[in-house]
Amino acid sequence: MGRIFKLCLVVFVMVSCSEQRTKIPVYAWTGGPGDATDQELRTTFKDFKEKGIDGLLYNGGQNPETYKRVGALVKEAGMEFHTWIPTMVQGENPKISKELYALNRKGESAFEKPAYVDYYKFLCPNKEGTYEFLANLYGSVASVEEVDGIHLDYIRFPDVILAEGLWDKYGLVMDQEFPEYDYCYCDKCTSDFKEKTGIDIKEVEDASQVQEWKQFRYDLITNMVNRLSKVVHSEGKVLNAAVFPGPSIAKKLVRQEWNKWELDAVYPMNYNDFYLKGPEWVGEITKEEVASVNGSKPIYSGLFICPNPENKTKENDPENHGLLPSEIETAIRGSMENGATGICLFTPGRMKAEHWEAFERAIHADYSIKESN
Ligand SMILES: [Zn+2]
């Protein structure tokens, strides 16, 4: 009898453990809604939720009404709803004066002559009009009841150095800061910098060697985030952002010193293939990220998924690279064992059945053991 009782107890414990299975927090970048009906959106969101996604960073343009509609459906499915709206990159818009766009070291406007790709129309973060436009935009979206938070993206300068995985694509060797990719040299930025430091940056032989000039521009982005944080918080909503990894890489490539930003959570894009690294690198960089904020706020490790795993080795464009089903466990484990609060998928739409199988196992594993090390 005693043995049967013990056996029952063991079975009981196993069953109750599996019912309260551990799961890591999972977010995902996605967007729409295009022409999708409410019912189609419901089906998609229910599927995301069942696969283990807890919240969406949703890109749906700049109209608050879109977020009201989609947000209601996301909440109905039981997920958090954060609006993913680009910050410094803004296309032609009657509300934005052409004077607000950033200038490179050759004096060319990011509106007239964007770097790398046509959409790289970056605003100058030092213009009051830029702040006013963004405060209005994010304030109006944050005031929508269905919105839990605002998710900033492109909250940075254009890449003064491209990630190494992109050099071939653009035919560049970016071993230094070239003037056409180096921003912002508008009159306001250069004169404010001169007033602050006494340095006339336009007269310096090699601007890339002036540490104060780098710091000045990190601070411009930091100030913008911190001012927007007040706007979003005053609506009772949270503020978070997609950032480059590090922040060592973020500072060097796009001038984001994000460990100083007043965010409620950080979503570093730990996209290993862009840096010609394997999946184990995701854990290494997560370690730096968690340490950079002294564990004071959640880090959600952004994972770039390979959309066509069978073709990865034949693809030259890193946009089509990313984690294979066989790599996803390494990336998730590395993130969690190095202190990430959870992960974020770019994107659920790129995930194949084999990805979801590996993902399902990895999000239910117990990563608490290594914390004592
Ligand atoms: Zn400027």
Side-chain angles (χ1 to χ4, degrees), residues 100-103 123-127 157 183-190 220:
L100 296 180
Y101 288 87
L103 299 187
L123 301 176
C124 166
N126 196 24
K127 297 269 174 73
F157 281 89
Y183 295 80
C184 176
Y185 289 76
C186 78
D187 287 346
K188 174 140 178 64
C189 286
T190 54
L220 291 181

Side-chain angles (χ1 to χ4, degrees), residues 119-179:
Y119 77 89
Y120 253 40
K121 296 176 166 60
F122 278 72
L123 301 176
C124 166
N126 196 24
K127 297 269 174 73
E128 198 57 18
T130 298
Y131 166 74
E132 283 164 12
F133 171 78
L134 295 172
N136 198 308
L137 169 62
Y138 293 118
S140 67
V141 174
S143 71
V144 172
E145 191 190 338
E146 289 78 4
V147 170
D148 293 310
I150 299 286
H151 183 67
L152 306 177
D153 192 11
Y154 290 99
I155 174 64
R156 59 179 180 87
F157 281 89
D159 324 46
V160 65
I161 306 276
L162 274 181
E164 203 173 338
L166 290 164
W167 292 4
D168 276 354
K169 179 178 178 179
Y170 292 99
L172 295 164
V173 177
M174 302 202 80
D175 51 359
Q176 55 180 295
E177 297 188 1
F178 294 105

